[in-house]
PDB file of all heavy atoms in Angstrom:
ATOM      1  N   TYR A   1     -30.691   6.827  66.784  1.00 98.00           N
ATOM      2  CA  TYR A   1     -31.302   7.439  65.608  1.00 98.00           C
ATOM      3  C   TYR A   1     -32.275   8.534  66.015  1.00 98.00           C
ATOM      4  O   TYR A   1     -32.933   8.441  67.062  1.00 98.00           O
ATOM      5  CB  TYR A   1     -32.083   6.404  64.792  1.00 98.00           C
ATOM      6  CG  TYR A   1     -31.270   5.259  64.254  1.00 98.00           C
ATOM      7  CD1 TYR A   1     -31.123   4.085  64.991  1.00 98.00           C
ATOM      8  CD2 TYR A   1     -30.656   5.345  63.003  1.00 98.00           C
ATOM      9  CE1 TYR A   1     -30.371   3.030  64.504  1.00 98.00           C
ATOM     10  CE2 TYR A   1     -29.919   4.281  62.502  1.00 98.00           C
ATOM     11  CZ  TYR A   1     -29.771   3.137  63.268  1.00 98.00           C
ATOM     12  OH  TYR A   1     -29.037   2.081  62.769  1.00 98.00           O
ATOM     13  N   VAL A   2     -32.416   9.515  65.160  1.00 98.00           N
ATOM     14  CA  VAL A   2     -33.485  10.483  65.343  1.00 98.00           C
ATOM     15  C   VAL A   2     -34.796   9.769  65.034  1.00 98.00           C
ATOM     16  O   VAL A   2     -34.847   8.852  64.194  1.00 98.00           O
ATOM     17  CB  VAL A   2     -33.274  11.714  64.422  1.00 98.00           C
ATOM     18  CG1 VAL A   2     -33.396  11.330  62.950  1.00 98.00           C
ATOM     19  CG2 VAL A   2     -34.217  12.838  64.784  1.00 98.00           C
ATOM     20  N   ASP A   3     -35.856  10.157  65.711  1.00 98.00           N
ATOM     21  CA  ASP A   3     -37.122   9.447  65.583  1.00 98.00           C
ATOM     22  C   ASP A   3     -37.622   9.370  64.143  1.00 98.00           C
ATOM     23  O   ASP A   3     -38.200   8.360  63.724  1.00 98.00           O
ATOM     24  CB  ASP A   3     -38.185  10.119  66.455  1.00 98.00           C
ATOM     25  CG  ASP A   3     -38.000   9.827  67.933  1.00 98.00           C
ATOM     26  OD1 ASP A   3     -37.214   8.923  68.270  1.00 98.00           O
ATOM     27  OD2 ASP A   3     -38.652  10.514  68.752  1.00 98.00           O
ATOM     28  N   SER A   4     -37.385  10.399  63.370  1.00 97.00           N
ATOM     29  CA  SER A   4     -37.944  10.473  62.025  1.00 97.00           C
ATOM     30  C   SER A   4     -37.352   9.449  61.058  1.00 97.00           C
ATOM     31  O   SER A   4     -37.917   9.222  59.984  1.00 97.00           O
ATOM     32  CB  SER A   4     -37.772  11.878  61.453  1.00 97.00           C
ATOM     33  OG  SER A   4     -36.399  12.216  61.362  1.00 97.00           O
ATOM     34  N   VAL A   5     -36.232   8.829  61.403  1.00 98.00           N
ATOM     35  CA  VAL A   5     -35.612   7.855  60.503  1.00 98.00           C
ATOM     36  C   VAL A   5     -35.607   6.442  61.082  1.00 98.00           C
ATOM     37  O   VAL A   5     -35.178   5.502  60.400  1.00 98.00           O
ATOM     38  CB  VAL A   5     -34.170   8.253  60.117  1.00 98.00           C
ATOM     39  CG1 VAL A   5     -34.125   9.668  59.595  1.00 98.00           C
ATOM     40  CG2 VAL A   5     -33.202   8.063  61.275  1.00 98.00           C
ATOM     41  N   LYS A   6     -36.073   6.271  62.291  1.00 98.00           N
ATOM     42  CA  LYS A   6     -36.082   4.947  62.910  1.00 98.00           C
ATOM     43  C   LYS A   6     -36.909   3.979  62.074  1.00 98.00           C
ATOM     44  O   LYS A   6     -38.017   4.300  61.643  1.00 98.00           O
ATOM     45  CB  LYS A   6     -36.634   5.033  64.330  1.00 98.00           C
ATOM     46  CG  LYS A   6     -35.669   5.638  65.329  1.00 98.00           C
ATOM     47  CD  LYS A   6     -36.265   5.685  66.737  1.00 98.00           C
ATOM     48  CE  LYS A   6     -35.282   6.292  67.724  1.00 98.00           C
ATOM     49  NZ  LYS A   6     -35.865   6.393  69.089  1.00 98.00           N
ATOM     50  N   GLY A   7     -36.350   2.791  61.866  1.00 98.00           N
ATOM     51  CA  GLY A   7     -37.040   1.792  61.062  1.00 98.00           C
ATOM     52  C   GLY A   7     -36.789   1.930  59.575  1.00 98.00           C
ATOM     53  O   GLY A   7     -37.131   1.030  58.804  1.00 98.00           O
ATOM     54  N   ARG A   8     -36.185   3.041  59.156  1.00 98.00           N
ATOM     55  CA  ARG A   8     -35.887   3.251  57.727  1.00 98.00           C
ATOM     56  C   ARG A   8     -34.387   3.329  57.456  1.00 98.00           C
ATOM     57  O   ARG A   8     -33.930   2.887  56.401  1.00 98.00           O
ATOM     58  CB  ARG A   8     -36.543   4.548  57.243  1.00 98.00           C
ATOM     59  CG  ARG A   8     -38.053   4.561  57.391  1.00 98.00           C
ATOM     60  CD  ARG A   8     -38.663   5.779  56.695  1.00 98.00           C
ATOM     61  NE  ARG A   8     -38.210   7.045  57.279  1.00 98.00           N
ATOM     62  CZ  ARG A   8     -37.596   8.000  56.584  1.00 98.00           C
ATOM     63  NH1 ARG A   8     -37.363   7.839  55.280  1.00 98.00           N
ATOM     64  NH2 ARG A   8     -37.227   9.135  57.184  1.00 98.00           N
ATOM     65  N   PHE A   9     -33.634   3.921  58.366  1.00 98.00           N
ATOM     66  CA  PHE A   9     -32.186   4.087  58.185  1.00 98.00           C
ATOM     67  C   PHE A   9     -31.440   3.131  59.109  1.00 98.00           C
ATOM     68  O   PHE A   9     -31.883   2.856  60.226  1.00 98.00           O
ATOM     69  CB  PHE A   9     -31.758   5.508  58.522  1.00 98.00           C
ATOM     70  CG  PHE A   9     -32.226   6.570  57.562  1.00 98.00           C
ATOM     71  CD1 PHE A   9     -33.175   6.317  56.583  1.00 98.00           C
ATOM     72  CD2 PHE A   9     -31.711   7.860  57.641  1.00 98.00           C
ATOM     73  CE1 PHE A   9     -33.600   7.300  55.703  1.00 98.00           C
ATOM     74  CE2 PHE A   9     -32.116   8.858  56.769  1.00 98.00           C
ATOM     75  CZ  PHE A   9     -33.073   8.566  55.802  1.00 98.00           C
ATOM     76  N   THR A  10     -30.272   2.674  58.649  1.00 98.00           N
ATOM     77  CA  THR A  10     -29.411   1.822  59.459  1.00 98.00           C
ATOM     78  C   THR A  10     -27.973   2.298  59.329  1.00 98.00           C
ATOM     79  O   THR A  10     -27.453   2.402  58.208  1.00 98.00           O
ATOM     80  CB  THR A  10     -29.502   0.360  59.014  1.00 98.00           C
ATOM     81  OG1 THR A  10     -30.854  -0.096  59.094  1.00 98.00           O
ATOM     82  CG2 THR A  10     -28.635  -0.521  59.919  1.00 98.00           C
ATOM     83  N   ILE A  11     -27.357   2.562  60.466  1.00 98.00           N
ATOM     84  CA  ILE A  11     -25.947   2.952  60.472  1.00 98.00           C
ATOM     85  C   ILE A  11     -25.114   1.727  60.821  1.00 98.00           C
ATOM     86  O   ILE A  11     -25.508   0.909  61.650  1.00 98.00           O
ATOM     87  CB  ILE A  11     -25.690   4.106  61.466  1.00 98.00           C
ATOM     88  CG1 ILE A  11     -24.255   4.635  61.322  1.00 98.00           C
ATOM     89  CG2 ILE A  11     -25.978   3.692  62.905  1.00 98.00           C
ATOM     90  CD1 ILE A  11     -24.006   5.928  62.107  1.00 98.00           C
ATOM     91  N   SER A  12     -23.968   1.609  60.160  1.00 96.00           N
ATOM     92  CA  SER A  12     -23.083   0.475  60.430  1.00 96.00           C
ATOM     93  C   SER A  12     -21.641   0.916  60.198  1.00 96.00           C
ATOM     94  O   SER A  12     -21.395   1.996  59.645  1.00 96.00           O
ATOM     95  CB  SER A  12     -23.428  -0.719  59.540  1.00 96.00           C
ATOM     96  OG  SER A  12     -23.263  -0.392  58.172  1.00 96.00           O
ATOM     97  N   ARG A  13     -20.714   0.071  60.625  1.00 94.00           N
ATOM     98  CA  ARG A  13     -19.308   0.421  60.458  1.00 94.00           C
ATOM     99  C   ARG A  13     -18.503  -0.805  60.075  1.00 94.00           C
ATOM    100  O   ARG A  13     -18.829  -1.916  60.479  1.00 94.00           O
ATOM    101  CB  ARG A  13     -18.747   1.042  61.742  1.00 94.00           C
ATOM    102  CG  ARG A  13     -18.845   0.142  62.968  1.00 94.00           C
ATOM    103  CD  ARG A  13     -18.640   0.920  64.250  1.00 94.00           C
ATOM    104  NE  ARG A  13     -17.248   1.331  64.422  1.00 94.00           N
ATOM    105  CZ  ARG A  13     -16.855   2.235  65.304  1.00 94.00           C
ATOM    106  NH1 ARG A  13     -17.739   2.834  66.070  1.00 94.00           N
ATOM    107  NH2 ARG A  13     -15.579   2.548  65.413  1.00 94.00           N
ATOM    108  N   ASP A  14     -17.464  -0.586  59.278  1.00 93.00           N
ATOM    109  CA  ASP A  14     -16.534  -1.632  58.898  1.00 93.00           C
ATOM    110  C   ASP A  14     -15.154  -1.159  59.353  1.00 93.00           C
ATOM    111  O   ASP A  14     -14.518  -0.339  58.676  1.00 93.00           O
ATOM    112  CB  ASP A  14     -16.572  -1.864  57.387  1.00 93.00           C
ATOM    113  CG  ASP A  14     -15.705  -3.038  56.944  1.00 93.00           C
ATOM    114  OD1 ASP A  14     -14.713  -3.351  57.646  1.00 93.00           O
ATOM    115  OD2 ASP A  14     -16.008  -3.626  55.907  1.00 93.00           O
ATOM    116  N   ASN A  15     -14.708  -1.644  60.489  1.00 91.00           N
ATOM    117  CA  ASN A  15     -13.444  -1.164  61.042  1.00 91.00           C
ATOM    118  C   ASN A  15     -12.260  -1.489  60.136  1.00 91.00           C
ATOM    119  O   ASN A  15     -11.294  -0.723  60.070  1.00 91.00           O
ATOM    120  CB  ASN A  15     -13.217  -1.769  62.423  1.00 91.00           C
ATOM    121  CG  ASN A  15     -14.177  -1.216  63.469  1.00 91.00           C
ATOM    122  OD1 ASN A  15     -14.777  -0.165  63.274  1.00 91.00           O
ATOM    123  ND2 ASN A  15     -14.342  -1.948  64.551  1.00 91.00           N
ATOM    124  N   ALA A  16     -12.329  -2.600  59.429  1.00 93.00           N
ATOM    125  CA  ALA A  16     -11.219  -2.993  58.550  1.00 93.00           C
ATOM    126  C   ALA A  16     -11.050  -2.011  57.389  1.00 93.00           C
ATOM    127  O   ALA A  16      -9.943  -1.822  56.886  1.00 93.00           O
ATOM    128  CB  ALA A  16     -11.445  -4.390  58.013  1.00 93.00           C
ATOM    129  N   LYS A  17     -12.165  -1.394  56.984  1.00 95.00           N
ATOM    130  CA  LYS A  17     -12.129  -0.436  55.876  1.00 95.00           C
ATOM    131  C   LYS A  17     -12.159   1.004  56.357  1.00 95.00           C
ATOM    132  O   LYS A  17     -12.196   1.921  55.534  1.00 95.00           O
ATOM    133  CB  LYS A  17     -13.309  -0.691  54.928  1.00 95.00           C
ATOM    134  CG  LYS A  17     -13.255  -2.034  54.232  1.00 95.00           C
ATOM    135  CD  LYS A  17     -14.419  -2.186  53.267  1.00 95.00           C
ATOM    136  CE  LYS A  17     -14.338  -3.522  52.524  1.00 95.00           C
ATOM    137  NZ  LYS A  17     -15.468  -3.702  51.579  1.00 95.00           N
ATOM    138  N   ASN A  18     -12.182   1.201  57.666  1.00 94.00           N
ATOM    139  CA  ASN A  18     -12.272   2.565  58.228  1.00 94.00           C
ATOM    140  C   ASN A  18     -13.440   3.334  57.612  1.00 94.00           C
ATOM    141  O   ASN A  18     -13.308   4.520  57.269  1.00 94.00           O
ATOM    142  CB  ASN A  18     -10.963   3.326  58.012  1.00 94.00           C
ATOM    143  CG  ASN A  18      -9.812   2.707  58.765  1.00 94.00           C
ATOM    144  OD1 ASN A  18      -9.999   2.138  59.831  1.00 94.00           O
ATOM    145  ND2 ASN A  18      -8.616   2.804  58.205  1.00 94.00           N
ATOM    146  N   THR A  19     -14.559   2.667  57.511  1.00 96.00           N
ATOM    147  CA  THR A  19     -15.709   3.243  56.816  1.00 96.00           C
ATOM    148  C   THR A  19     -16.978   3.062  57.642  1.00 96.00           C
ATOM    149  O   THR A  19     -17.183   2.007  58.246  1.00 96.00           O
ATOM    150  CB  THR A  19     -15.887   2.612  55.434  1.00 96.00           C
ATOM    151  OG1 THR A  19     -14.703   2.843  54.657  1.00 96.00           O
ATOM    152  CG2 THR A  19     -17.082   3.207  54.700  1.00 96.00           C
ATOM    153  N   VAL A  20     -17.789   4.091  57.626  1.00 97.00           N
ATOM    154  CA  VAL A  20     -19.108   4.061  58.247  1.00 97.00           C
ATOM    155  C   VAL A  20     -20.142   4.220  57.141  1.00 97.00           C
ATOM    156  O   VAL A  20     -19.934   4.991  56.191  1.00 97.00           O
ATOM    157  CB  VAL A  20     -19.256   5.175  59.291  1.00 97.00           C
ATOM    158  CG1 VAL A  20     -20.684   5.244  59.823  1.00 97.00           C
ATOM    159  CG2 VAL A  20     -18.289   4.952  60.431  1.00 97.00           C
ATOM    160  N   TYR A  21     -21.243   3.516  57.285  1.00 98.00           N
ATOM    161  CA  TYR A  21     -22.286   3.528  56.259  1.00 98.00           C
ATOM    162  C   TYR A  21     -23.604   4.020  56.847  1.00 98.00           C
ATOM    163  O   TYR A  21     -23.863   3.884  58.049  1.00 98.00           O
ATOM    164  CB  TYR A  21     -22.492   2.126  55.700  1.00 98.00           C
ATOM    165  CG  TYR A  21     -21.248   1.500  55.117  1.00 98.00           C
ATOM    166  CD1 TYR A  21     -20.483   0.617  55.874  1.00 98.00           C
ATOM    167  CD2 TYR A  21     -20.834   1.792  53.822  1.00 98.00           C
ATOM    168  CE1 TYR A  21     -19.342   0.035  55.354  1.00 98.00           C
ATOM    169  CE2 TYR A  21     -19.690   1.210  53.289  1.00 98.00           C
ATOM    170  CZ  TYR A  21     -18.946   0.336  54.066  1.00 98.00           C
ATOM    171  OH  TYR A  21     -17.818  -0.228  53.551  1.00 98.00           O
ATOM    172  N   LEU A  22     -24.435   4.543  55.972  1.00 98.00           N
ATOM    173  CA  LEU A  22     -25.816   4.854  56.328  1.00 98.00           C
ATOM    174  C   LEU A  22     -26.711   4.311  55.228  1.00 98.00           C
ATOM    175  O   LEU A  22     -26.746   4.860  54.129  1.00 98.00           O
ATOM    176  CB  LEU A  22     -26.028   6.358  56.501  1.00 98.00           C
ATOM    177  CG  LEU A  22     -27.410   6.758  57.019  1.00 98.00           C
ATOM    178  CD1 LEU A  22     -27.606   6.289  58.459  1.00 98.00           C
ATOM    179  CD2 LEU A  22     -27.639   8.267  56.915  1.00 98.00           C
ATOM    180  N   GLN A  23     -27.381   3.212  55.526  1.00 98.00           N
ATOM    181  CA  GLN A  23     -28.334   2.636  54.586  1.00 98.00           C
ATOM    182  C   GLN A  23     -29.669   3.339  54.784  1.00 98.00           C
ATOM    183  O   GLN A  23     -30.218   3.326  55.890  1.00 98.00           O
ATOM    184  CB  GLN A  23     -28.483   1.134  54.819  1.00 98.00           C
ATOM    185  CG  GLN A  23     -29.503   0.473  53.916  1.00 98.00           C
ATOM    186  CD  GLN A  23     -29.089   0.473  52.449  1.00 98.00           C
ATOM    187  OE1 GLN A  23     -27.947   0.190  52.124  1.00 98.00           O
ATOM    188  NE2 GLN A  23     -30.031   0.796  51.565  1.00 98.00           N
ATOM    189  N   MET A  24     -30.178   3.937  53.738  1.00 98.00           N
ATOM    190  CA  MET A  24     -31.420   4.704  53.814  1.00 98.00           C
ATOM    191  C   MET A  24     -32.464   4.074  52.920  1.00 98.00           C
ATOM    192  O   MET A  24     -32.282   4.022  51.696  1.00 98.00           O
ATOM    193  CB  MET A  24     -31.173   6.160  53.401  1.00 98.00           C
ATOM    194  CG  MET A  24     -30.058   6.847  54.185  1.00 98.00           C
ATOM    195  SD  MET A  24     -29.869   8.591  53.802  1.00 98.00           S
ATOM    196  CE  MET A  24     -29.364   8.498  52.085  1.00 98.00           C
ATOM    197  N   ASN A  25     -33.521   3.569  53.520  1.00 98.00           N
ATOM    198  CA  ASN A  25     -34.619   2.940  52.789  1.00 98.00           C
ATOM    199  C   ASN A  25     -35.896   3.748  52.958  1.00 98.00           C
ATOM    200  O   ASN A  25     -35.993   4.583  53.862  1.00 98.00           O
ATOM    201  CB  ASN A  25     -34.834   1.513  53.298  1.00 98.00           C
ATOM    202  CG  ASN A  25     -33.629   0.625  53.098  1.00 98.00           C
ATOM    203  OD1 ASN A  25     -32.879   0.765  52.132  1.00 98.00           O
ATOM    204  ND2 ASN A  25     -33.438  -0.304  54.015  1.00 98.00           N
ATOM    205  N   SER A  26     -36.854   3.474  52.108  1.00 98.00           N
ATOM    206  CA  SER A  26     -38.156   4.149  52.167  1.00 98.00           C
ATOM    207  C   SER A  26     -37.970   5.660  52.271  1.00 98.00           C
ATOM    208  O   SER A  26     -38.589   6.329  53.108  1.00 98.00           O
ATOM    209  CB  SER A  26     -38.968   3.634  53.365  1.00 98.00           C
ATOM    210  OG  SER A  26     -39.157   2.240  53.286  1.00 98.00           O
ATOM    211  N   LEU A  27     -37.149   6.187  51.417  1.00 98.00           N
ATOM    212  CA  LEU A  27     -36.833   7.614  51.481  1.00 98.00           C
ATOM    213  C   LEU A  27     -38.051   8.476  51.187  1.00 98.00           C
ATOM    214  O   LEU A  27     -38.925   8.103  50.379  1.00 98.00           O
ATOM    215  CB  LEU A  27     -35.699   7.944  50.505  1.00 98.00           C
ATOM    216  CG  LEU A  27     -34.312   7.544  51.010  1.00 98.00           C
ATOM    217  CD1 LEU A  27     -33.322   7.453  49.860  1.00 98.00           C
ATOM    218  CD2 LEU A  27     -33.830   8.540  52.057  1.00 98.00           C
ATOM    219  N   LYS A  28     -38.092   9.618  51.864  1.00 98.00           N
ATOM    220  CA  LYS A  28     -39.189  10.568  51.736  1.00 98.00           C
ATOM    221  C   LYS A  28     -38.628  11.910  51.258  1.00 98.00           C
ATOM    222  O   LYS A  28     -37.458  12.217  51.495  1.00 98.00           O
ATOM    223  CB  LYS A  28     -39.870  10.762  53.096  1.00 98.00           C
ATOM    224  CG  LYS A  28     -40.387   9.486  53.729  1.00 98.00           C
ATOM    225  CD  LYS A  28     -40.943   9.765  55.111  1.00 98.00           C
ATOM    226  CE  LYS A  28     -41.445   8.491  55.770  1.00 98.00           C
ATOM    227  NZ  LYS A  28     -41.997   8.758  57.139  1.00 98.00           N
ATOM    228  N   PRO A  29     -39.460  12.725  50.626  1.00 97.00           N
ATOM    229  CA  PRO A  29     -38.984  14.050  50.195  1.00 97.00           C
ATOM    230  C   PRO A  29     -38.378  14.856  51.342  1.00 97.00           C
ATOM    231  O   PRO A  29     -37.428  15.617  51.131  1.00 97.00           O
ATOM    232  CB  PRO A  29     -40.242  14.708  49.633  1.00 97.00           C
ATOM    233  CG  PRO A  29     -41.058  13.560  49.130  1.00 97.00           C
ATOM    234  CD  PRO A  29     -40.818  12.458  50.121  1.00 97.00           C
ATOM    235  N   GLU A  30     -38.906  14.690  52.543  1.00 97.00           N
ATOM    236  CA  GLU A  30     -38.376  15.446  53.687  1.00 97.00           C
ATOM    237  C   GLU A  30     -37.006  14.962  54.133  1.00 97.00           C
ATOM    238  O   GLU A  30     -36.375  15.579  55.010  1.00 97.00           O
ATOM    239  CB  GLU A  30     -39.348  15.398  54.873  1.00 97.00           C
ATOM    240  CG  GLU A  30     -39.827  14.020  55.241  1.00 97.00           C
ATOM    241  CD  GLU A  30     -41.179  13.679  54.634  1.00 97.00           C
ATOM    242  OE1 GLU A  30     -41.396  13.971  53.416  1.00 97.00           O
ATOM    243  OE2 GLU A  30     -42.019  13.097  55.353  1.00 97.00           O
ATOM    244  N   ASP A  31     -36.501  13.885  53.542  1.00 98.00           N
ATOM    245  CA  ASP A  31     -35.122  13.454  53.808  1.00 98.00           C
ATOM    246  C   ASP A  31     -34.110  14.215  52.952  1.00 98.00           C
ATOM    247  O   ASP A  31     -32.900  14.046  53.131  1.00 98.00           O
ATOM    248  CB  ASP A  31     -34.971  11.953  53.540  1.00 98.00           C
ATOM    249  CG  ASP A  31     -35.780  11.092  54.487  1.00 98.00           C
ATOM    250  OD1 ASP A  31     -35.794  11.396  55.695  1.00 98.00           O
ATOM    251  OD2 ASP A  31     -36.379  10.103  54.013  1.00 98.00           O
ATOM    252  N   THR A  32     -34.600  15.024  52.032  1.00 98.00           N
ATOM    253  CA  THR A  32     -33.708  15.802  51.170  1.00 98.00           C
ATOM    254  C   THR A  32     -32.853  16.740  52.006  1.00 98.00           C
ATOM    255  O   THR A  32     -33.366  17.530  52.796  1.00 98.00           O
ATOM    256  CB  THR A  32     -34.522  16.614  50.153  1.00 98.00           C
ATOM    257  OG1 THR A  32     -35.191  15.711  49.267  1.00 98.00           O
ATOM    258  CG2 THR A  32     -33.622  17.535  49.340  1.00 98.00           C
ATOM    259  N   ALA A  33     -31.536  16.632  51.830  1.00 98.00           N
ATOM    260  CA  ALA A  33     -30.600  17.437  52.619  1.00 98.00           C
ATOM    261  C   ALA A  33     -29.174  17.125  52.165  1.00 98.00           C
ATOM    262  O   ALA A  33     -28.945  16.179  51.403  1.00 98.00           O
ATOM    263  CB  ALA A  33     -30.733  17.120  54.104  1.00 98.00           C
ATOM    264  N   VAL A  34     -28.253  17.915  52.673  1.00 98.00           N
ATOM    265  CA  VAL A  34     -26.842  17.560  52.571  1.00 98.00           C
ATOM    266  C   VAL A  34     -26.511  16.737  53.810  1.00 98.00           C
ATOM    267  O   VAL A  34     -26.780  17.169  54.937  1.00 98.00           O
ATOM    268  CB  VAL A  34     -25.932  18.802  52.494  1.00 98.00           C
ATOM    269  CG1 VAL A  34     -24.462  18.384  52.470  1.00 98.00           C
ATOM    270  CG2 VAL A  34     -26.279  19.637  51.270  1.00 98.00           C
ATOM    271  N   TYR A  35     -25.954  15.564  53.601  1.00 98.00           N
ATOM    272  CA  TYR A  35     -25.636  14.658  54.691  1.00 98.00           C
ATOM    273  C   TYR A  35     -24.136  14.740  54.990  1.00 98.00           C
ATOM    274  O   TYR A  35     -23.306  14.612  54.079  1.00 98.00           O
ATOM    275  CB  TYR A  35     -26.037  13.228  54.327  1.00 98.00           C
ATOM    276  CG  TYR A  35     -27.516  13.001  54.438  1.00 98.00           C
ATOM    277  CD1 TYR A  35     -28.400  13.581  53.531  1.00 98.00           C
ATOM    278  CD2 TYR A  35     -28.052  12.219  55.462  1.00 98.00           C
ATOM    279  CE1 TYR A  35     -29.767  13.412  53.644  1.00 98.00           C
ATOM    280  CE2 TYR A  35     -29.428  12.032  55.576  1.00 98.00           C
ATOM    281  CZ  TYR A  35     -30.269  12.620  54.672  1.00 98.00           C
ATOM    282  OH  TYR A  35     -31.632  12.439  54.782  1.00 98.00           O
ATOM    283  N   TYR A  36     -23.838  14.931  56.276  1.00 98.00           N
ATOM    284  CA  TYR A  36     -22.459  15.089  56.722  1.00 98.00           C
ATOM    285  C   TYR A  36     -22.048  13.939  57.639  1.00 98.00           C
ATOM    286  O   TYR A  36     -22.793  13.560  58.552  1.00 98.00           O
ATOM    287  CB  TYR A  36     -22.293  16.398  57.493  1.00 98.00           C
ATOM    288  CG  TYR A  36     -22.523  17.644  56.673  1.00 98.00           C
ATOM    289  CD1 TYR A  36     -23.790  18.224  56.599  1.00 98.00           C
ATOM    290  CD2 TYR A  36     -21.478  18.242  55.982  1.00 98.00           C
ATOM    291  CE1 TYR A  36     -24.015  19.368  55.848  1.00 98.00           C
ATOM    292  CE2 TYR A  36     -21.695  19.390  55.234  1.00 98.00           C
ATOM    293  CZ  TYR A  36     -22.959  19.940  55.173  1.00 98.00           C
ATOM    294  OH  TYR A  36     -23.177  21.077  54.430  1.00 98.00           O
ATOM    295  N   CYS A  37     -20.873  13.435  57.393  1.00 98.00           N
ATOM    296  CA  CYS A  37     -20.280  12.439  58.276  1.00 98.00           C
ATOM    297  C   CYS A  37     -19.563  13.151  59.417  1.00 98.00           C
ATOM    298  O   CYS A  37     -18.964  14.214  59.219  1.00 98.00           O
ATOM    299  CB  CYS A  37     -19.301  11.578  57.476  1.00 98.00           C
ATOM    300  SG  CYS A  37     -18.462  10.298  58.422  1.00 98.00           S
ATOM    301  N   TRP A  38     -19.613  12.567  60.591  1.00 97.00           N
ATOM    302  CA  TRP A  38     -18.984  13.146  61.784  1.00 97.00           C
ATOM    303  C   TRP A  38     -18.262  12.033  62.534  1.00 97.00           C
ATOM    304  O   TRP A  38     -18.721  10.892  62.587  1.00 97.00           O
ATOM    305  CB  TRP A  38     -20.055  13.775  62.673  1.00 97.00           C
ATOM    306  CG  TRP A  38     -19.607  14.016  64.084  1.00 97.00           C
ATOM    307  CD1 TRP A  38     -18.906  15.070  64.568  1.00 97.00           C
ATOM    308  CD2 TRP A  38     -19.829  13.151  65.206  1.00 97.00           C
ATOM    309  NE1 TRP A  38     -18.683  14.926  65.907  1.00 97.00           N
ATOM    310  CE2 TRP A  38     -19.238  13.758  66.326  1.00 97.00           C
ATOM    311  CE3 TRP A  38     -20.467  11.936  65.376  1.00 97.00           C
ATOM    312  CZ2 TRP A  38     -19.275  13.188  67.599  1.00 97.00           C
ATOM    313  CZ3 TRP A  38     -20.506  11.364  66.636  1.00 97.00           C
ATOM    314  CH2 TRP A  38     -19.907  11.999  67.727  1.00 97.00           C
ATOM    315  N   GLY A  39     -17.127  12.413  63.127  1.00 95.00           N
ATOM    316  CA  GLY A  39     -16.398  11.463  63.952  1.00 95.00           C
ATOM    317  C   GLY A  39     -15.702  12.169  65.095  1.00 95.00           C
ATOM    318  O   GLY A  39     -15.291  13.333  64.962  1.00 95.00           O
ATOM    319  N   ALA A  40     -15.610  11.480  66.222  1.00 91.00           N
ATOM    320  CA  ALA A  40     -14.970  12.042  67.403  1.00 91.00           C
ATOM    321  C   ALA A  40     -13.777  11.174  67.769  1.00 91.00           C
ATOM    322  O   ALA A  40     -13.956  10.035  68.209  1.00 91.00           O
ATOM    323  CB  ALA A  40     -15.960  12.115  68.554  1.00 91.00           C
ATOM    324  N   TRP A  41     -12.575  11.754  67.598  1.00 87.00           N
ATOM    325  CA  TRP A  41     -11.353  11.096  68.016  1.00 87.00           C
ATOM    326  C   TRP A  41     -10.856  11.837  69.256  1.00 87.00           C
ATOM    327  O   TRP A  41     -10.388  12.968  69.167  1.00 87.00           O
ATOM    328  CB  TRP A  41     -10.293  11.166  66.914  1.00 87.00           C
ATOM    329  CG  TRP A  41     -10.393  10.085  65.888  1.00 87.00           C
ATOM    330  CD1 TRP A  41      -9.638   8.954  65.814  1.00 87.00           C
ATOM    331  CD2 TRP A  41     -11.293  10.032  64.771  1.00 87.00           C
ATOM    332  NE1 TRP A  41     -10.010   8.203  64.731  1.00 87.00           N
ATOM    333  CE2 TRP A  41     -11.026   8.842  64.069  1.00 87.00           C
ATOM    334  CE3 TRP A  41     -12.298  10.877  64.290  1.00 87.00           C
ATOM    335  CZ2 TRP A  41     -11.721   8.458  62.921  1.00 87.00           C
ATOM    336  CZ3 TRP A  41     -13.000  10.512  63.147  1.00 87.00           C
ATOM    337  CH2 TRP A  41     -12.703   9.315  62.483  1.00 87.00           C
ATOM    338  N   GLY A  42     -10.981  11.209  70.399  1.00 84.00           N
ATOM    339  CA  GLY A  42     -10.643  11.893  71.638  1.00 84.00           C
ATOM    340  C   GLY A  42     -11.543  13.092  71.825  1.00 84.00           C
ATOM    341  O   GLY A  42     -12.765  12.993  71.725  1.00 84.00           O
ATOM    342  N   ALA A  43     -10.943  14.241  72.085  1.00 88.00           N
ATOM    343  CA  ALA A  43     -11.715  15.462  72.308  1.00 88.00           C
ATOM    344  C   ALA A  43     -11.957  16.240  71.014  1.00 88.00           C
ATOM    345  O   ALA A  43     -12.555  17.319  71.050  1.00 88.00           O
ATOM    346  CB  ALA A  43     -10.984  16.355  73.306  1.00 88.00           C
TER     347      ALA A  43
END
């Protein structure tokens, strides 16, 4: 995690559903942004 979200955000994955989650708690105005999912398959 980036330091600014440690203790507030949790990333997890459900392989059966091919889904990754980001649980975001204690949100702050500075968390305002467009959030993008990223994945690396091989190269």
